[in-house]
Amino acid sequence: MRVLLVEDDEMLGDAVKTHVDRQGHAVDWALTRDEAEASLEAVAYDLVLLDLRLPDGSGLDILKVLRARRDEMPVIIMTAHDQVSDRIAGLNAGADDYLVKPVDLGELQARIHAVSRRYGTHKLPDLTIGGLAIYPSERRIAGRGGEEIQLSSREWAVLDRLIARKRAIVSKAQIEEALYAFGAEVESNTVEVYVSRLRRKLGKDSIETVRGVGYRISGDAT
């Protein structure tokens, strides 16, 4: 997923960004309300992790603006505001979940998965390629003899993007967006490297190259 983290505490923000990134998501990090609003105007995110107490305003105002324009993007509030009245206000404003700091990173990841399942962001279809059974929602690939094939989080990010548009061509730029957040260095051959790794693990014909356009899952995938 493409995730926007809105958090002004640099130590916590760095820990959350690193953890969520390692789960295979691309994370953009905004430290202020202004930065968050600018990012939301520029990118279609799959999820927002939102602090309420920001140096230039309230995160709750960001949430209210999103819901006022009928934007149903999932939002998980992460805040030190621990009163029941604060939780009620956040949920009534349209938050999908509410976590009180200090945040346990394992619990945060479970909440992210729960919200993404609710909104269908991980409901990619199961498919078979060359005798391999691929289950994206379970992060599991069963080989021909029943053995498990392991993919890294970045390899899953590329494969997810291809599966999501199974019959369409996915451009190199679209795959790069799945791999990296804003500000990350993208080398010219990064996509080619990950496609090559996937072909070694899934079969050389699992991903087709459409020269000058992009890539797509093999037409034999079912």
Side-chain angles (χ1 to χ4, degrees):
M1 293 189 295
R2 190 68 178 267
V3 177
L4 177 62
L5 168 64
V6 186
E7 173 59 64
D8 68 319
D9 184 312
E10 295 193 17
M11 184 175 294
L12 175 60
D14 183 65
V16 170
K17 183 182 186 304
T18 298
H19 182 80
V20 176
D21 181 76
R22 285 175 178 168
Q23 305 308 309
H25 308 301
V27 184
D28 296 333
W29 179 11
L31 286 89
T32 67
R33 176 180 171 180
D34 283 347
E35 289 180 8
E37 291 175 340
S39 295
L40 288 166
E41 288 296 325
V43 178
Y45 290 100
D46 299 301
L47 176 74
V48 179
L49 301 176
L50 182 64
D51 185 18
L52 295 185
R53 189 181 299 168
L54 300 171
D56 57 347
S58 171
L60 200 61
D61 291 334
I62 297 174
L63 176 58
K64 289 178 179 178
V65 169
L66 286 174
R67 298 309 186 229
R69 66 188 191 200
R70 300 186 183 280
D71 191 324
E72 297 183 355
M73 183 189 315
V75 176
I76 298 177
I77 288 176
M78 302 188 307
T79 180
H81 295 184
D82 60 354
Q83 298 299 311
V84 173
S85 58
D86 295 322
R87 299 187 190 201
I88 291 172
L91 294 171
N92 284 343
D96 297 276
D97 208 339
Y98 195 108
L99 280 171
V100 176
K101 298 177 183 176
V103 174
D104 179 87
L105 295 177
E107 181 182 4
L108 172 62
Q109 186 59 34
R111 301 288 185 104
I112 289 174
H113 282 164
V115 169
S116 67
R117 285 196 301 270
R118 196 179 310 152
Y119 278 81
T121 50
H122 276 162
K123 290 183 179 178
L124 295 175
D126 299 338
L127 74 161
T128 301
I129 302 177
L132 301 180
I134 302 175
Y135 307 98
S137 63
E138 300 176 27
R139 286 291 186 261
R140 184 168 66 87
I141 300 176
R144 297 167 187 80
E147 73 280 6
E148 295 284 323
I149 295 175
Q150 302 297 322
L151 300 185
S152 70
S153 59
R154 298 297 187 185
E155 289 164 352
W156 271 115
V158 173
L159 187 59
D160 280 349
R161 185 56 61 98
L162 293 168
I163 291 173
R165 304 187 64 194
K166 188 171 70 169
R167 302 303 178 193
I169 299 169
V170 182
S171 71
K172 181 177 178 179
Q174 289 171 321
I175 295 175
E176 287 175 344
E177 185 179 75
L179 284 169
Y180 294 102
F182 279 162
E185 183 177 349
V186 180
E187 297 182 5
S188 60
N189 68 336
T190 296
V191 171
E192 288 82 355
V193 168
Y194 281 104
V195 169
S196 176
R197 290 179 183 176
L198 286 171
R199 284 173 173 155
R200 284 201 302 271
K201 293 181 178 182
L202 306 181
K204 62 183 180 64
D205 297 324
S206 59
I207 299 173
E208 300 175 0
T209 298
V210 182
R211 294 197 179 279
V213 183
Y215 302 91
R216 65 185 169 199
I217 285 290
S218 168
D220 295 332
T222 58

